[in-house]
Amino acid sequence: MARRLLITDGTITVNLLDSATFNIALNGWEPEDPETNDIVRESVHDEGSEIVSSQAKNVIDVIKVKLTGTSHNNIAATLQDLATLKREAKEFQTTDWQKTPVWMEAQTSGETNTRYYLVRKIRFKQGTFPYGLIFENANKSLNNTLTIEREAYARSHAPLSALPTALTTSAAQAPAGQVVATEQFIANHRDTHALTHIYNFDASLSAFSSNLVASTNFDYYVVSGSAPASGDIVYFGSTTGPFRQGVVYISTASSPATSSVAWEIWTGAAWVGGIVKVPVNPIFGAAVGAMPIYIDTPTGWAATTINGVSAYWIRVRLTANPSWSTNPRQGAQVVYNPRENYVSVASTILKGDVEALGLIKYKKYVQVSNDVRWMAIGMKGRGLTNFVSMLNWGGNNPAEWTVATGTDTSTAADIESPSGTRATCTFATNQTLVERIRITNGTAASSADFEGTYHAYLRCKQVTGSAGDVKVRLGVAVTNGIGFSTPTVPLTVVNAGIELVSLGKIKILAPRIILGTESSNGFYFQIDAQAASATPDLYLYDLILIPVDEWGIVPSHAGLSGQQVYDYGAGLQMDNGLLRWGCTQMGPDGASPPEPNRVISKWESRGQLPLFPTDKAFRLYFLLADNATAGTYLAPLHHGGSIKLYAHQRWEFMRGAE
Amino acid sequence: MSRVHIVHNPALSGVAQFTGSFGVSNYRHRIGANIGFDTCSFDIRHEKHVLEDMFYTGLGRRLTRYSRDGNFVVWDGFISEMTLVQPGLSMRISLKEMWNRASVRYTPIDTGTNPPTESAETSTAVVDDTTSQAKYGIKEKYFSPPKIDRMIAGNAAQYATVMLSQYREPKRDEDFASGSNDSKLTVFCEGFMHTLGWRIYNQTAVSGQDYVYVVAGTIITGVGQFIYDTDFDTNTTQIQKYYNRDNTALDILQAAAGIGDNTNRRWLFYMLENRILQYKLASTAVNYIRRVSDRKQEILDTSGRAIPFYEVRPNNWLRNSDVMPHGLTPANMQDDFPSMFVESVQYNEPDTLALAGSLGGIAQVIIARAADQGDRLL
């Protein structure tokens, strides 16, 4: 490997290992680790002190270099390059218009990969008298001191350069052998309603295909080699309950890339359009790649029998002959439906010995009846086996969870609810702040996986009455142990959709109370609610736990008009210095399929910009909401989209071969 | 360095939209039990033109700081004053001495007789500066001339107009100081609860009594221009509906809170996140626990979570659990020596926390009742 030590802006380069210009002196550089900004506390009543916060400062490298040139003018040109980089490094920080960073690249002769450092400041001190013999006659300046102040850790890529390859990730329902494992689809709810059946139906033959749900390769609409024609249908169904999204992967696009189709659900009396939402450009089957399908507020959706199977069905029907020479083909993975709100990164994915700088790229494929104006993201790197972020009050939870209704509360079928069932509190006999519902985890090992700090949100709806008539709070308690409650929070709207209520921060089990081999009793969550009268009803959908103790961020619009992610191919980027810093709303780039590559506006970055842990598996949990009306957050189940993760891996000392 | 988010004032439709995120230094905030988010200040160091632009356009904008995970509002309010420091120059602009609705309270005299005869004290019709009101909201002042408050109606009306013209825009002052060589914008913010002190509440249409929270709701409907919503608990204590003494809404609400309830418990009006005015019974149980011999000096909540200092809030009881550890815990928090009611929280970045404690208000309620002046008497 070639030795490497240089400063550059990508165009101008000052090579510090070039005997014709700058050349590092023998033992001229002794790299060191960063000093830290520490907050240290102590008590006169106890021994020692402890660090409660520690953040790395910039590193100041002092490098002894020789400066050589063919002439004084040649040396002047070299110094002018250095001065230009010095100025650019300053202006990159002090102005908004200097967008080119200056960075340092380093690599030893036996080191496989290059390290990159964002440069903050450059200073240079000439060590030789410019009118002395050495400089006059030999065109050399010895004992020069180059001081470079740079970011604390080495990166795997040049700062603010093109994005690296997206990280390989996974998701709960992502199929084995996923064609593109760098993009995962998230749900805005949790349930267990997997797709169980997919049929092609040939109208002319009046025949169905076999169940294709487990098939990794099949042509859409085709039954026994038939040519797709008007009236042919693809059915997607679940016998376990209503589902809210699906993901197909087109491995072979139709040719020509045109067709006329209708997406429909069965409402008990008819097949109805306008509820199933899919991308419009390209249309279904017309381009290679993943394509999500969303069921948007499926009022009246009912099970029906197709090909002898009673299930919740959606279908796509050809409304004209497509005249395809090539049929759209699913492959080489199964069709699936995301049903959880996280993406996972395996422990082997990220190298480096310091947290990686991260970029989270969110893409909203489909325009649904709510936009995304707010998002909460939290990281969890422990207790991943049994932890679930969303617990449904209507059931359909992991087996160790049990729901028990409380005062004036019962469950009822509700197609809008994550499980197809909600809990309803009528306040008929008691309007005071009492327990309305409880969900209990009785398994010691499982409950230990919930140890941590979370921000708790409740999805619910006040029906009838006046806004604010209903107030809720969350109680958390270890079974047969202590309990505590969050403050009460009033709901803000009446019958206006699924409202998201922020209940506050909770801690499940005290920090470090559980050691490696210990377990705890189970624990439970309960919702207490009160109402101004017996008039309003409260619909309870689910409890959402966003982990916040390892890392978290809340990207939010800032209340400006146009600050919503709504379009096909629009998205967000939460970036910690790969391309920029902050949360940025992105618009579709006009390509087919569109990608969220056009900058729209800066969002509020509430919290820390992304930092990904190294050498450990972790998950990012997501919650999406709309905030079209100030103070009111709606979090419907038809929100969703895809997540890609990018990282600049980092090292404290050397990078090596990773 | 912490970051704050600054946006246009969401309660004002006529202001230019703005959003910005700034790294700030010298951040500090105060939160009070009987006001909620009280004050906050910090320095912005940026390019000269950015500081100047903020100085000229930033008054009244909303300021929010979030926790490290982004889910928790550490502080929320509006920019009430700024000081722009440049080498040799210090410029200050403030909403504090501004008002854009004025009236004069005076005793009318009839100069047709000699000596002139006086009639009952009254107020002139209010005069408004709608341009200023569109930018900052309504901030009103009822002047009572300090000595010569007997005057003819025309003079009183002119006095109101003159005062309005002098104070309708934020006041500025400048200082020159040779030798200073700094460049920063020092921003002072107040919680939205303070805006209830901007508005006079007079209600003379009906008399009688009603529950505190009902009267408070009427007040907010009338003059709560920056209040997004209310969250009132039920307290059957009643107060009068009739007000005609040019008191501010803030004064009336805090006096009403000071009356407490019929079991001598303390109640509070305050505003925290989301501009929601809350009327709640003051905390009666320990929510924070710490140990004086804890090396980390942590404050834990009852679940054992270490509360970051910037997330600590008043209206909570804090117990120093290793102070007088053998004392048996009494039934009343006021009798518990190691415990204090957190009246206010002062947090200074990066790690300084000052909690002002009290015994939680029984004496306060009694005194407030006697004085009818609310919690601020103490």
Side-chain angles (χ1 to χ4, degrees):
Chain A
M1 273 65 77
R3 306 190 309 157
R4 195 173 182 82
L5 185 64
L6 55 86
I7 313 166
T8 183
D9 62 0
T11 304
I12 300 169
T13 298
V14 169
N15 188 346
L16 303 180
L17 299 175
D18 181 1
S19 58
T21 55
F22 284 106
N23 199 0
I24 191 166
L26 186 64
N27 298 325
W29 182 33
E30 297 172 347
E32 60 179 313
D33 64 354
E35 288 185 40
T36 51
N37 268 319
D38 295 336
I39 297 176
V40 178
R41 296 193 200 143
E42 59 188 5
S43 168
V44 294
H45 298 302
D46 199 5
E47 62 185 44
S49 58
E50 289 205 31
I51 299 171
V52 295
S53 174
S54 181
Q55 298 291 331
K57 295 181 180 180
N58 290 340
V59 169
I60 299 174
D61 287 319
V62 180
I63 304 174
K64 293 287 186 185
V65 291
K66 290 182 285 188
L67 174 60
T68 308
T70 55
S71 65
H72 287 190
N73 288 344
N74 178 253
I75 289 174
T78 301
L79 288 173
Q80 285 159 14
D81 282 349
L82 183 67
T84 300
L85 294 175
K86 175 181 174 178
R87 174 174 51 80
E88 288 179 346
K90 178 194 72 175
E91 290 171 346
F92 179 74
Q93 299 164 85
T94 59
T95 74
D96 292 332
W97 49 264
Q98 170 57 273
K99 295 173 183 170
T100 304
V102 175
W103 68 90
M104 185 164 81
E105 297 183 10
Q107 187 175 2
T108 64
S109 58
E111 189 176 16
T112 304
N113 295 302
T114 306
R115 290 164 275 138
Y116 302 85
Y117 304 85
L118 182 65
V119 171
R120 311 279 190 200
K121 191 173 182 179
I122 298 171
R123 294 198 66 198
F124 181 73
K125 182 181 178 185
Q126 198 163 328
T128 299
F129 181 49
Y131 302 102
L133 289 177
I134 295 175
F135 193 80
E136 287 277 4
N137 298 330
N139 295 323
K140 287 182 187 296
S141 177
L142 307 175
N143 298 319
N144 307 291
T145 304
L146 179 64
T147 306
I148 301 172
E149 183 171 347
R150 52 139 171 113
E151 62 185 352
Y153 305 115
R155 302 177 184 225
S156 54
H157 299 77
L160 280 70
S161 58
L163 277 182
T165 304
L167 303 180
T168 297
T169 53
S170 61
Q173 285 78 37
Q178 197 173 9
V179 178
V180 179
T182 55
E183 181 179 30
Q184 301 298 343
F185 290 83
I186 53 170
N188 207 33
H189 72 290
R190 184 188 176 284
D191 67 35
T192 55
H193 297 164
L195 283 177
T196 57
H197 293 79
I198 300 173
Y199 291 123
N200 287 338
F201 174 74
D202 187 294
S204 60
L205 298 174
S206 193
F208 288 90
S209 68
S210 60
N211 184 4
L212 301 169
V213 77
S215 298
T216 53
N217 287 284
F218 62 88
D219 285 358
Y220 284 102
Y221 303 105
V222 173
V223 178
S224 304
S226 64
S230 179
D232 289 355
I233 298 170
V234 184
Y235 289 94
F236 303 85
S238 173
T239 56
T240 51
F243 54 99
R244 300 307 294 263
Q245 62 172 293
V247 175
V248 304
Y249 193 91
I250 303 298
S251 59
T252 304
S254 67
S255 179
T258 55
S259 64
S260 179
V261 301
W263 287 89
E264 297 163 322
I265 68 167
W266 177 257
T267 59
W271 289 95
V272 173
I275 292 173
V276 178
K277 305 285 178 64
V278 296
V280 294
N281 179 22
I283 57 174
F284 174 58
V288 171
M291 192 200 83
I293 301 162
Y294 294 94
I295 294 95
D296 184 346
T297 319
T299 306
W301 193 15
T304 189
T305 299
I306 299 294
N307 196 26
V309 177
S310 177
Y312 284 86
W313 294 98
I314 64 170
R315 71 182 193 180
V316 53
R317 177 169 53 88
L318 287 169
T319 56
N321 286 326
S323 301
W324 286 325
S325 58
T326 303
N327 298 327
R329 185 168 179 77
Q330 168 75 23
Q333 66 180 46
V334 297
V335 178
Y336 70 103
N337 59 323
R339 303 185 298 278
E340 298 217 41
N341 63 328
Y342 68 84
V343 297
S344 298
V345 178
S347 62
T348 54
I349 297 299
L350 284 168
K351 311 301 180 188
D353 47 37
V354 180
E355 290 171 307
L357 303 173
L359 184 151
I360 302 170
K361 193 171 184 179
Y362 166 72
K363 179 178 177 182
K364 188 172 190 292
Y365 272 80
V366 177
Q367 201 175 67
V368 291
S369 55
N370 292 88
D371 303 327
V372 173
R373 289 181 169 87
W374 180 96
M375 183 184 290
I377 311 171
M379 177 189 291
K380 189 168 173 63
R382 63 197 197 280
L384 300 179
T385 305
N386 296 295
F387 175 76
V388 289
S389 172
M390 294 176 167
L391 294 163
N392 300 321
W393 297 115
N396 212 325
N397 298 301
E400 63 268 29
W401 290 94
T402 306
V403 175
T405 53
T407 306
D408 294 334
T409 304
S410 59
T411 55
D414 186 342
I415 203 70
E416 288 189 48
S417 186
S419 56
T421 306
R422 67 164 190 264
T424 303
C425 174
T426 63
F427 301 102
T429 65
N430 187 335
Q431 295 88 50
T432 61
L433 189 66
V434 297
E435 180 179 339
R436 304 296 176 172
I437 199 162
R438 176 183 294 196
I439 185 166
T440 304
N441 182 326
T443 309
S446 169
S447 61
D449 283 350
F450 282 73
E451 182 272 321
T453 305
Y454 305 89
H455 199 96
Y457 295 91
L458 176 70
R459 263 197 288 218
C460 55
K461 182 196 290 185
Q462 181 187 328
V463 184
T464 68
S466 301
D469 278 356
V470 173
K471 298 177 183 178
V472 294
R473 74 178 181 188
L474 174 67
V476 186
V478 174
T479 305
N480 300 322
I482 65 160
F484 59 93
S485 298
T486 65
T488 56
V489 184
L491 276 63
T492 63
V493 286
V494 177
N495 214 13
I498 297 179
E499 182 170 355
L500 186 71
V501 175
S502 172
L503 296 166
K505 237 171 238 187
I506 61 166
K507 182 82 187 73
I508 299 175
L509 299 172
R512 301 174 188 176
I513 196 170
I514 288 190
L515 303 180
T517 57
E518 291 180 321
S519 62
S520 168
N521 282 353
F523 65 97
Y524 60 86
F525 301 109
Q526 70 182 47
I527 294 295
D528 302 338
Q530 68 183 73
S533 68
T535 300
D537 284 355
L538 172 65
Y539 293 175
L540 296 162
Y541 299 107
D542 59 357
L543 175 69
I544 302 159
L545 305 174
I546 297 297
V548 296
D549 48 4
E550 296 185 48
W551 172 80
I553 191 171
V554 177
S556 170
H557 75 130
L560 306 185
S561 56
Q563 276 198 308
Q564 69 268 30
V565 180
Y566 72 99
D567 211 351
Y568 304 103
L572 285 173
Q573 287 184 7
M574 284 65 77
D575 188 352
N576 195 4
L578 276 64
L579 298 177
R580 56 183 74 82
W581 283 269
C583 298
T584 309
Q585 179 190 345
M586 308 296 286
D589 59 8
S592 181
E595 282 295 315
N597 288 330
R598 288 188 179 161
V599 173
I600 300 294
S601 75
K602 198 161 183 98
W603 276 27
E604 288 188 6
S605 307
R606 301 175 181 175
Q608 284 186 287
L609 297 176
L611 284 171
F612 299 151
T614 182
D615 293 340
K616 98 175 177 183
F618 66 91
R619 292 179 186 165
L620 298 178
Y621 289 87
F622 294 82
L623 172 61
L624 312 178
D626 198 357
N627 181 217
T629 303
T632 297
Y633 290 81
L634 301 178
L637 277 57
H638 50 252
H639 269 158
S642 77
I643 299 295
K644 289 182 181 177
L645 305 180
Y646 301 84
H648 279 186
Q649 298 157 102
R650 297 195 297 173
W651 291 265
E652 182 146 5
F653 303 107
M654 291 179 65
R655 181 177 178 183
E658 299 178 353
Chain B
M1 180 180 290
S2 56
R3 296 197 79 79
V4 299
H5 298 275
I6 298 175
V7 300
H8 56 276
N9 191 318
L12 300 173
S13 57
V15 296
Q17 294 199 330
F18 177 86
T19 175
S21 174
F22 296 87
V24 301
S25 54
N26 292 329
Y27 174 88
R28 62 185 60 194
H29 71 231
R30 183 184 184 280
I31 310 173
N34 63 355
I35 198 160
F37 293 141
D38 185 8
T39 58
C40 166
S41 66
F42 50 84
D43 294 336
I44 300 176
R45 295 181 185 275
H46 216 292
E47 287 181 273
K48 182 169 172 285
H49 73 90
V50 173
L51 300 182
E52 290 173 356
D53 183 59
M54 180 62 78
F55 182 78
Y56 283 110
T57 61
L59 270 187
R61 283 178 180 158
R62 184 179 191 174
L63 174 288
T64 311
R65 184 179 171 193
Y66 296 93
S67 58
R68 280 174 68 85
D69 60 83
N71 292 272
F72 183 86
V73 175
V74 171
W75 202 89
D76 183 33
F78 65 96
I79 297 174
S80 61
E81 184 174 310
M82 290 178 285
T83 301
L84 178 65
V85 176
Q86 294 292 324
L89 178 67
S90 174
M91 300 174 69
R92 173 180 165 274
I93 189 166
S94 177
L95 285 174
K96 291 177 180 170
E97 298 92 9
M98 179 215 80
W99 37 85
N100 47 39
R101 170 175 289 177
S103 173
V104 168
R105 196 166 187 92
Y106 70 109
T107 301
I109 57 171
D110 180 0
T111 55
T113 62
N114 190 9
T117 54
E118 299 177 2
S119 51
E121 185 182 77
T122 188
S123 298
T124 66
V126 295
V127 287
D128 289 310
D129 187 295
T130 55
T131 302
S132 174
Q133 289 174 359
K135 286 190 288 187
Y136 305 110
I138 298 172
K139 191 164 187 274
E140 52 193 315
K141 181 74 173 177
Y142 280 29
F143 296 96
S144 187
K147 291 182 180 176
I148 311 300
D149 63 348
R150 271 83 174 145
M151 61 180 69
I152 61 174
N155 288 158
Q158 183 170 315
Y159 190 20
T161 308
V162 168
M163 295 305 288
L164 182 71
S165 69
Q166 294 297 310
Y167 291 93
R168 61 187 173 78
E169 287 291 326
K171 284 307 211 185
R172 284 186 296 108
D173 54 54
E174 299 182 15
D175 294 313
F176 170 79
S178 65
S180 71
N181 185 27
D182 201 356
S183 177
K184 65 178 180 179
L185 183 70
T186 299
V187 179
F188 300 93
C189 305
E190 294 178 17
F192 284 104
M193 184 85 171
H194 285 280
T195 63
L196 291 172
W198 290 12
R199 299 298 303 274
I200 303 296
Y201 181 73
N202 287 332
Q203 193 288 116
T204 57
V206 294
S207 191
Q209 301 177 26
D210 211 332
Y211 298 138
V212 170
Y213 66 90
V214 174
V215 175
T218 306
I219 293 171
I220 296 307
T221 300
V223 298
Q225 58 186 336
F226 292 103
I227 312 302
Y228 173 72
D229 206 347
T230 58
D231 178 12
F232 296 158
D233 283 353
T234 301
N235 173 359
T236 55
T237 299
Q238 296 199 337
I239 58 173
Q240 79 274 21
K241 300 178 185 176
Y242 185 96
Y243 290 93
N244 192 28
R245 297 299 301 170
D246 301 338
N247 299 118
T248 68
L250 182 62
D251 285 340
I252 294 171
L253 292 176
Q254 291 195 325
I259 294 170
D261 66 15
N262 57 11
T263 55
N264 288 335
R265 295 179 303 178
R266 182 180 178 186
W267 283 67
L268 300 167
F269 276 107
Y270 56 89
M271 283 179 68
L272 295 167
E273 56 268 23
N274 301 326
R275 294 185 290 130
I276 295 174
L277 177 66
Q278 305 196 52
Y279 179 56
K280 303 278 182 184
L281 178 67
S283 174
T284 57
V286 169
N287 295 314
Y288 292 152
I289 301 166
R290 66 178 293 274
R291 296 167 57 242
V292 295
S293 52
D294 173 18
R295 281 190 303 274
K296 297 177 83 169
Q297 295 285 295
E298 287 180 327
I299 294 176
L300 309 178
D301 69 11
T302 52
S303 72
R305 182 173 81 95
I307 312 293
F309 280 0
Y310 52 78
E311 290 188 19
V312 173
R313 287 187 169 176
N315 188 21
N316 285 296
W317 282 89
L318 180 146
R319 173 178 285 136
N320 295 284
S321 61
D322 58 349
V323 170
M324 292 169 274
H326 294 287
L328 302 178
T329 304
N332 293 324
M333 292 305 307
Q334 287 83 359
D335 301 329
D336 188 31
F337 275 58
S339 295
M340 63 183 252
F341 179 83
V342 181
E343 279 292 340
S344 69
V345 171
Q346 173 85 46
Y347 169 72
N348 294 4
E349 200 98 77
D351 196 44
T352 303
L353 182 71
L355 306 181
S358 77
L359 289 179
I362 284 184
Q364 193 164 13
V365 170
I366 294 168
I367 295 167
R369 275 183 166 163
D372 194 22
Q373 287 296 317
D375 298 326
R376 290 170 306 140
L377 188 73
L378 299 180

